[in-house]
Amino acid sequence: MSAQVISGKEVSAQVRERLKKEVEAMKAHDPNFRPGLVVLQVGDRDDSNLYISMKLKAAAEIGIHATHLRLPKTATEEEVLHSIREVNENSCIHGLIVQLPMDSINKIDTEKVTNAVAPEKDVDGLTSINAGKLSRGDLGDCFLPCTPNGCMELIRNTGVSVAGKRAVVVGRSKIVGAPMHDLLLWNHATVTTCHSKTADLAAEIGKADILVTGIGKPQIVKGEWIKEGAVVIDCGINHIPDSTRPSGKRVVGDVDYDSAKQRASHITPVPGGVGPMTVAMLMQNTVLSARRFLDTHKPGQWNISYTALNLQKPVPSDIVISRSCVPKPIDKLAGEIGVLWDEMELYGKTKAKVQLETMDRLRAQPDGKYVVVAGITPTPLGEGKSTTTIGLVQALGAHLKLNVFACVRQPSQGPTFGIKGGAAGGGYSQVIPMEEFNLHLTGDIHAITAANNLVAAAIEARMFHEATQTDKALYNRLVPLNAGQRTFSPIQVNRLKKLGIEKTDPTTLTEEEITRFARLDIDPDTITWQRVMDTNDRFLRKITVGESATEKGHTRSCQFDITVASEIMAVLALTSSMEDMRQRLAKMVVASSRSGDPVTTEDLGVSGALTVLMRDAIKPNLMQTLEGTPVFVHAGPFANIAHGNSSILADKIALKLVGPEGFVVTEAGFGADIGMEKFFNIKCRYSGLRPHVVVLVATVRALKMHGGGPTVTAGMPLPKEYLEENLELLEKGCSNMRKQVENARAFGVPVVVAVNAFKTDTDAELDMICKLAKEAGAFDAVRCTHWAEGGAGAMALGEAVRKASEAPSNFKFLYDTELPIVDKIRIIAQKIYGADDIELLPEAQQKVERYTRQGFGNLPICMAKTHLSLSHDPEKKGVPKGFILPIRDIRASVGAGFLYPLVGSMPTMPGLPTRPCFYDIDLDPVTGEVKGLF
């Protein structure tokens, strides 16, 4: 009889076709996904190059993105290991092959290099971990070495069952013989391994129903040794002399093919047998690795652990509570919510930045539900929006078991050391660690400070140099000689284009063009850009710069703002990508020229440098709540002169991570008439996101204040009216809540009122608020005790929000941005504040004309007014009527993308009180713990 030839070419072609369809199915499910393979080679051996080209060709045919990473012969062991580590950490790569042998002039430990490959990417199946799992029989949790796996595929193709058969493996190499033994054993064969010390090789081979050879000796196995009807798989590749071949040699296996073919039932030829299968199995392992990656990283499929609270009564201080809870390592939390290792940048153990590539990876993933937390017009003490935001996400996550993210602003250090204290929430609803949250975090605010002040320095320097130099001298210094030539920088080319000068050779500009290019001619009276610092300092509200003799009398009065008031902070909060941030930073208008043209940071030549300073700040910061739910802390623009909301990028990444059934809860600063209105009309306009629910936070004390209660002063005890039941005062004050519910519903979004309960509130008072809120049109109204009870105290709120998110929603903007500036201001004043009309003072009227002329008239409006009243007068509580809203000035944040009318005086640099918070703040030199922060 003559054996049936097992064609590795045919079987491997079938495998490749199947893998091609699998890859196509993956891409159909996620068009952005593609299996990735890296082949790492050291040196330039011809035989290695041939093998690699075969692998790359096979990968391309199947649809695998394969990369050939070649290191020179001079590569050291550490350089090879470094390359492997980089590939291990790249989530786009699912398979890594180290091509052996490594051809280096330096000594390299092959075993060490092989085992440096991450086991989950070891598609060669050669690491000790994968080998160990194979030897233990964990075949579904490892990668099978390619050649033995190919042999098994060929055996299966014969139709011969392995189970119960006697198998003999000749050879015990780590690549073929040893893993082949294990594979046959765990497929239920009785296996014998033969090697150079085997006493009677022929007798052992004669017992084999299945024979696999991989000893590397040409034709050592004779046909007469083979049992009749055996399956013979020959892995040997040997060269023997053959004068009939042009090369003078030919390739043969370990088995004498012609004689063995007469006794075996099935046999593999050499070449054309096992060889093609090795490459096919390598591709199969790569596709398997990619599939495992997809299965374990399904968007929205969280495997999150929550932290149990140990509730204490009375409730301890915020910092005591914060320290009583041990936060999860932040990389663990990131993994639980689907952030990949190479998408995070760790800043210690409790905070990390998340890269924007996460959003790109998940762009095909549907968004989750979007919730904004706003509030009624507050007292100076605040009504607990941040605490409610955190309590709500703890309820939705730890108690209702939904994927949920909180997105909050980063607090300024000014209030932290001033009078307000920290802003991490409070009680058992906090972001932790609170000292990390309230202090430097990852340095974003410091980056904004540096960028902002670089612009200020550039303005002063440019005015000084223009005032002290001729046009020619100024031009020669702006475009200096370098190696005998003058060259425009890219940012200078942009300025030339803006001026309509289509030239790139500095020597070809006319005198008139040189003057236009070199002179910005800034009018000092129009400068709107101020220096900033993140500290409350009242004595910087007005300063004089240029007092040194070196500035030659070029003095100017200006001021410092607090950093969170910088337009760069607003840009960070409203940007959608690195490129978008670069463009916004370039468009920031810092002044006007004497001819009335806007002067931008691009004109100053500084916008590129600003982007460099902000390149890390653009990435959202990941932290966690007391109960272990994730929080993005990113951006912190003022809620008066800016829009008072955390970043669009944080919201967008979070909405992708939670998945379509999850929730993202963000907070809008101050009352709903300010933060919520700007959230809808500015943030949602630029983000394109549509909210599902508004949560409106109300308190008994604030509503009593609106009903005519005594003045509430920060740092002073509350009057007795706020500590005793007074339903008449409360009912009268609920008019403010009714108006804010109306404001929210004007945007077509369901409203849930969260009554933040204090221990002095009575059931009758809380019930009254809920009743009146529903009568005002709220979808639901519930009392909350999350400050004292954590997420458990906000479960009713969580259920209400979940139900409201399923209710019909008809979101709409309040105004069309194409309307004239004055009309947009009037719509906000009348519909949101309840004003009869607006009055533009002369300076504001001039700005309307200027900004319309300069082309900024179609920007959204960001009203800068007091947060303590619906009107411009902080003393008018409840729902003021019959007032005219005075607009004293209008300013432009062109880069951020809005105009902000000033309603009354708007301080942008807070001052310190008589007894600031810093009196209580200290560091324990032994434990390193911060004391006195609240």
Side-chain angles (χ1 to χ4, degrees), residues 302 304-309 325-328 330 333-334 336-337 350 389-407 428-432 621-633 658 663 665 790-791:
W302 290 11
I304 188 168
S305 59
Y306 299 106
T307 307
L309 296 177
C325 179
V326 179
K328 292 181 285 188
I330 201 66
L333 175 62
E336 290 177 341
I337 62 174
T350 57
T389 298
I390 303 307
L392 174 57
V393 298
Q394 290 182 163
L396 289 168
H399 298 273
L400 300 178
K401 308 305 180 187
L402 296 167
N403 292 353
V404 63
F405 235 110
C407 292
Y428 287 102
S429 295
Q430 293 187 53
V431 181
I432 58 170
N621 305 296
L622 179 65
M623 295 187 75
Q624 63 192 284
T625 68
L626 284 167
E627 297 191 51
T629 58
V631 180
F632 272 142
V633 185
V658 298
F663 285 81
V665 182

Side-chain angles (χ1 to χ4, degrees), residues 216-245:
K217 293 185 177 181
Q219 300 175 330
I220 189 174
V221 178
K222 308 305 179 185
E224 58 267 24
W225 295 1
I226 295 171
K227 182 180 179 179
E228 285 280 351
V231 175
V232 177
I233 307 295
D234 190 350
C235 301
I237 299 178
N238 309 285
H239 293 89
I240 61 172
D242 186 344
S243 59
T244 65
R245 301 291 179 92

Side-chain angles (χ1 to χ4, degrees), residues 173 211 390 504 507 573-574 608 643 695 810 916:
S173 71
L211 174 65
I390 303 307
T504 57
T507 63
L574 290 170
H643 64 294
V695 173
N810 184 29

Side-chain angles (χ1 to χ4, degrees), residues 157-371:
N157 197 258
T158 66
V160 173
S161 174
V162 174
K165 297 295 191 298
R166 183 179 291 275
V168 172
V169 178
V170 181
R172 54 182 176 182
S173 71
K174 293 179 181 180
I175 295 177
V176 180
M180 192 72 235
H181 171 280
D182 294 337
L183 263 178
L184 288 165
L185 178 66
W186 293 112
N187 279 275
H188 311 298
T190 301
V191 188
T192 300
T193 296
C194 298
H195 44 77
S196 59
K197 303 298 183 184
T198 299
D200 190 347
L201 182 61
E204 297 295 339
I205 289 174
K207 301 173 186 176
D209 301 311
I210 298 172
L211 174 65
V212 181
T213 65
I215 201 168
K217 293 185 177 181
Q219 300 175 330
I220 189 174
V221 178
K222 308 305 179 185
E224 58 267 24
W225 295 1
I226 295 171
K227 182 180 179 179
E228 285 280 351
V231 175
V232 177
I233 307 295
D234 190 350
C235 301
I237 299 178
N238 309 285
H239 293 89
I240 61 172
D242 186 344
S243 59
T244 65
R245 301 291 179 92
S247 63
K249 57 184 179 181
R250 63 187 174 94
V251 177
V252 297
D254 294 341
V255 177
D256 182 49
Y257 180 76
D258 291 335
S259 60
K261 189 177 179 183
Q262 302 307 311
R263 295 179 64 82
S265 63
H266 299 81
I267 190 169
T268 57
V270 178
V274 174
M277 292 302 298
T278 300
V279 175
M281 291 301 101
L282 177 63
M283 299 300 114
Q284 179 169 287
N285 278 349
T286 303
V287 173
L288 173 61
S289 179
R291 188 164 60 247
R292 286 175 178 171
F293 175 86
L294 287 176
D295 289 343
T296 55
H297 294 89
K298 287 181 179 176
Q301 181 177 289
W302 290 11
N303 182 25
I304 188 168
S305 59
Y306 299 106
T307 307
L309 296 177
N310 180 21
L311 301 177
Q312 302 290 315
K313 291 187 178 181
V315 177
S317 70
D318 289 351
I319 197 161
V320 169
I321 294 173
S322 176
R323 293 214 177 114
S324 71
C325 179
V326 179
K328 292 181 285 188
I330 201 66
D331 55 337
K332 179 179 186 292
L333 175 62
E336 290 177 341
I337 62 174
V339 176
L340 304 181
W341 176 255
D342 58 338
E343 292 172 345
M344 70 178 103
E345 297 172 11
L346 299 180
Y347 281 69
K349 298 178 181 179
T350 57
K351 54 188 186 291
K353 280 193 167 291
V354 174
Q355 296 186 14
L356 306 189
E357 285 77 8
T358 306
M359 188 167 58
D360 297 333
R361 172 174 63 88
L362 297 173
R363 61 180 176 268
Q365 161 83 343
D367 287 345
K369 307 290 181 62
Y370 197 26
V371 180

Side-chain angles (χ1 to χ4, degrees), residues 607-669:
S607 52
L610 299 182
T611 310
V612 171
L613 286 171
M614 294 294 293
R615 72 188 188 280
D616 290 323
I618 195 174
K619 305 164 192 171
N621 305 296
L622 179 65
M623 295 187 75
Q624 63 192 284
T625 68
L626 284 167
E627 297 191 51
T629 58
V631 180
F632 272 142
V633 185
H634 199 218
F638 250 25
N640 46 25
I641 68 165
H643 64 294
N645 285 264
S646 59
S647 77
I648 286 173
L649 283 170
D651 291 358
K652 284 190 168 185
I653 294 173
L655 285 164
K656 295 298 183 186
L657 287 169
V658 298
E661 302 304 316
F663 285 81
V664 170
V665 182
T666 190
E667 177 194 348

Side-chain angles (χ1 to χ4, degrees), residues 138 416 746 756:
D138 298 333
T416 299
N756 188 16

